Amino acid sequence: MEIDLVYLLSLIGILGSLYYYLTRNNNYFHDKPIPSLAVEPLFGSSRRLFLKKTSFTDFIVDIYNKFPSVKVLGMFDLTSPVFFVRDPELIKRIGVKDFDYFVNHRQAFGASEDPNSGALFGKTLIGLQDQKWRDMRATLSPAFTGSKMRQMFELIVECSVNMVKHYESEIRTKGGPQEHEMKDVFTRFANDVIATCAFGIKVDSLRNTDNEFYTNGKKMMAFNRPIVLLKVLGLRLVPKLMDRLGLDLFDREQSQYFSEIIRDTVRTRDAHGIVRPDMVHLLMQARKGALKHQEQEKESETATGFATVVESEIGRMVANGEKVTPMTEMEMIAQCLIFFLAGFDTVSTCLTFLAHELTVNPDVQRKLYEEILETKNSLNGGQLTYDAVNKMRYMDMVVSESLRMWSPAPSTDRECVKDYVVDDGAGTRFTIDKGTTVFIPIAGLHMDPQYYPNPKKFDPERFSEENKHKINPSAYLPFGIGPRNCIGSRFALMEVKAIIYYMLLAFSFERTPNTQVPLQLAKGFAGMRSEKGVFVEFRPRK
């Protein structure tokens, strides 16, 4: 009987300690002069998201709309307090002007202090922090300039032409147009582009549907699996234990597979002096400190699209000859993996929703096709060039509007690295404490009628020459803001525009009985995807 009582008391003590650990911060916002969401043990303010009752995009938009008159509100992401910032001017201060207070992303998906550890996410440009991030950004930045993108553009064109030929052949073989699910189509295309541009190998995922590169990529990107949810919980609640175990967001099996590809490619190129205009070559140069910004590119690079982000002075440090910190082999592999993640999922997501909007808005599709024909005629029979695609104004308007309505990243974050006082000049003053997180609600800003009248309407004219000056640049953030914006915006935009050019040149996008209007997003915290797929028919042009 006494033993049972000891067990019972021990269990009560353990449960009490666990409850205290999970709720210890619950009163954090009580002394802040801002509204805050209700908080629950373990889930914080995010239970509906983690239990797959809502999509991540709708989750962000719903919170954004909950207190329409405030600039900042409080919430909890599991056990961590988060400042949810709604005001574009404050977002600009946090992301740009006062960047030194908000240098880092929060370490939500894995970090490791060991440079040779197998845990890779913390070594990526997204996961790195403080000076290590500054050094890596400065090292990588010259690899993403306009001149480097121009060199890689031919590889993207080759993948685009191959995709068109595949579907033309399929139509001939099957005797007519076929319905296709866009996420599958564009994931395969993006996979082939990232294979050739970032890993230096050629893959044909449309004809060889189960190739090893593609299947390993699918496994790595399957963030909706229960094991991934458990990992996310572990990385949020017990990050030091996860680090000791060498665990992060990436599965070891897939990390090892892609790591070996990079090692083999680098060894072969070093041994045989092979030079190919791709990301592996640029990373090999960056690793040696041989990449430099070209000063004359500063003016010309602004003409690549409305959504293109501008590199900060942090990224241009190597332009002035500062010493570059050597990149380890594991760090180089990690950068290739994060390029893969962005190229495989983010670009394919952008293309999926863009194809849907072109399908359900035939007038927009027709106008874009007319511009594509004009561009084709201006090339005098030659293939599409980097400069030609960047001169397509309506193409840029269409892509910019799609990124507004369906931003692949519904939010971004910053970690406060030293106490930051917010004073709105109207009596509201409080401190964002060191160690807390700031959420920047990209999807909420993009769907706010204050900045985009009738925001649910797909309207490329918002980004016309006559109208684009009306857009608040701090309320349009598909590639983030400030020095920690997306380093690959040029690459992503040229990839999206190239495949849309070639596909619309050959086919019209048509509705099928399975085309869902309006689209409903799948529930859960994983990447943005549609509830029932995005179905489109490729109909050959006459």
Side-chain angles (χ1 to χ4, degrees), residues 48-50 52-57 522-527 529:
R48 292 183 67 243
L49 183 61
F50 273 88
K52 297 186 176 182
K53 302 294 184 183
T54 186
S55 71
F56 188 23
T57 296
K523 297 174 173 60
F525 75 93
R529 61 196 189 283

Side-chain angles (χ1 to χ4, degrees), residues 363-418:
D363 291 345
V364 173
Q365 184 180 162
R366 192 177 306 113
K367 187 171 179 179
L368 179 56
Y369 175 62
E370 290 170 0
E371 184 184 56
I372 288 170
L373 282 181
E374 289 176 11
T375 301
K376 178 177 181 288
N377 292 334
S378 72
L379 296 170
N380 296 318
Q383 73 176 24
L384 185 65
T385 64
Y386 181 74
D387 292 325
V389 80
N390 284 324
K391 289 177 182 176
M392 298 177 67
R393 290 192 175 181
Y394 195 68
M395 172 75 83
D396 191 62
M397 290 161 58
V398 169
V399 173
S400 298
E401 174 67 347
S402 182
L403 286 169
R404 179 196 67 81
M405 278 191 71
W406 304 104
S407 181
S411 73
T412 186
D413 62 60
R414 297 291 186 273
E415 181 184 283
C416 185
V417 298
K418 48 187 175 181

Side-chain angles (χ1 to χ4, degrees), residues 500-514:
I500 291 298
Y501 171 92
Y502 279 103
M503 288 297 286
L504 283 187
L505 194 57
F507 311 107
S508 63
F509 293 171
E510 304 293 340
R511 291 193 193 202
T512 79
N514 291 318

Side-chain angles (χ1 to χ4, degrees), residues 5 24 33 42 54 98 138 149 155 206 214 249 256 308 325 333 336 340 343 367-368 408-409 499 501:
L5 181 60
R24 67 193 186 285
L42 181 61
T54 186
D98 296 327
M149 295 302 100
L155 300 175
L206 293 166
Y214 179 74
L249 196 63
Q256 289 170 357
T308 309
T325 303
I333 290 168
C336 281
F340 181 89
K367 187 171 179 179
L368 179 56
I499 188 58
Y501 171 92

